[in-house]
Structures are given as structure tokens and as C-alpha cells.
Amino acid sequence: AESGTEAKAARAAVRERRRQQRRRDIEEEQEWLGQVRRQQNMMMAIEKLLELKVPLLPVQIRQAEDPLVVLRKAMAACPELLLDSESLSRLGTLLGMGRAEAGPGGRLREAAV
């Protein structure tokens, strides 16, 4: 009877290890997909900024610590962007602005122009 109980416990332990490994695999895959999505967004943002003739090199856009700096330069290079809130918002999202930059009420902080 003891060997049957030990065998059940061993099988349960193996199943638990497999579940934990699957969880870790899923988390790693989600992190990888998030990184791919961020890179795709950055490439789309760079394309849009180049279309707007923003005087920044792609490497400068990628290395900018604050997306607001890039947005300010985009608005300076293309003032009509100020009138197109949808494009401005989309550009901010592509540059990585999101909940971390949001203030009270979930509103994005305003860029000084």
C-alpha cells in the first residue's frame, strides 16, 4: 500500500513540475512576443517620423529615453501634427508611451511645445 501511495505522490510531483515548466514557457513566450511587438511599433514610429521629416536619425529615436522629446521634435518639424490628435496619439503609442506615462485619470501627460 505504501509503494502505491509513493508512486501516486511521485506522479503528482512530476505533473506539478510539468505544469510549472509550461507556465514558465508561456511567460517566456509572452515576454518574447511583447519584445517583438515593441520592436514592430518602434519601426512603424520611425517610418512615420521619417515621413514627417523629423530631424532625427533612427538610432536617436530608438535611444531616446523620453518619447515626449521625440514627439516635441515631430511637432516642431510638422506643426500640422498638432491638429491631428489621432496621429499624434498613435505616434505616442508606437513610441512606447502608455500607462506608465499616464497621470491621474489615465490621461497622458502633456508635452511642452
Side-chain angles (χ1 to χ4, degrees):
E2 266 186 50
S3 63
T5 303
E6 289 173 6
K8 285 182 183 180
R11 286 192 299 272
V14 167
R15 282 193 303 273
E16 181 59 28
R17 280 195 300 275
R18 286 180 182 157
R19 268 194 292 270
Q20 289 174 354
Q21 183 60 49
R22 279 193 299 266
R23 245 182 259 127
R24 283 191 299 270
D25 291 346
I26 289 169
E27 289 170 2
E28 286 176 17
E29 183 177 329
Q30 288 172 341
E31 175 61 30
W32 180 82
L33 288 172
Q35 290 173 3
V36 169
R37 197 173 306 114
R38 284 188 293 277
Q39 289 301 317
Q40 287 174 327
N41 287 346
M42 183 58 70
M43 288 186 295
M44 287 189 291
I46 289 170
E47 287 174 8
K48 181 67 176 170
L49 289 165
L50 291 174
E51 286 173 16
L52 296 171
K53 299 186 184 344
V54 175
L56 289 172
L57 297 172
V59 70
Q60 292 172 306
I61 297 167
R62 284 186 182 278
Q63 292 177 347
E65 290 184 25
D66 187 356
L68 285 176
V69 172
V70 177
L71 283 177
R72 282 187 208 113
K73 290 188 186 241
M75 289 183 285
C78 185
E80 59 271 11
L81 189 59
L82 288 167
L83 302 174
D84 187 358
S85 62
E86 188 175 316
S87 290
L88 192 58
S89 176
R90 176 78 175 133
L91 187 55
T93 300
L94 290 173
L95 288 168
M97 293 181 70
R99 294 174 194 246
E101 289 80 12
R107 300 191 73 194
L108 290 178
R109 58 192 171 133
E110 294 181 14
V113 180

